[in-house]
Amino acid sequence: MEKLFKKSFTVLLLLVLMSFTIPTTVYICLSPGAKKYHYDRDCRGLGNCTHEIKAVSKGSAEGEYGLELCGWED
Ligand SMILES: [Zn+2]
């Protein structure tokens, strides 16, 4: 009984951990002037983008690209 409890606890713990580590995908415009990232691929903020639109993790949009969340989507 105790073994079963430990097993389901471990599974539960893993699920919780995974929900924290799965990166959120956001969309960025690869324009040099871009300052925002977007949750919505069809966001009107991306409508102006004349460059390539790339899907990246939220962490890398903020960290590597130094972008912040689009004003239309807070
Ligand atoms: Zn947006």
Side-chain angles (χ1 to χ4, degrees):
M1 198 60 192
E2 196 190 332
K3 214 171 182 180
L4 185 70
F5 173 76
K6 273 188 186 163
K7 198 172 179 184
S8 42
F9 182 76
T10 310
V11 170
L12 197 72
L13 196 70
L14 273 174
L15 282 175
V16 170
L17 280 176
M18 272 165 65
S19 67
F20 280 112
T21 48
I22 291 174
T24 310
T25 302
V26 299
Y27 299 94
I28 62 172
C29 178
L30 291 181
S31 156
K35 291 185 171 55
K36 309 286 183 185
Y37 63 83
H38 310 263
Y39 289 122
D40 186 356
R41 174 70 178 69
D42 299 316
C43 175
R44 57 173 134 174
L46 274 174
N48 304 328
C49 179
T50 53
H51 292 65
E52 194 185 334
I53 293 170
K54 192 179 175 191
V56 298
S57 72
K58 188 182 169 189
S60 106
E62 290 177 343
E64 289 173 44
Y65 295 92
L67 303 171
E68 46 186 59
L69 177 60
C70 161
W72 302 109
E73 304 171 51
D74 48 6

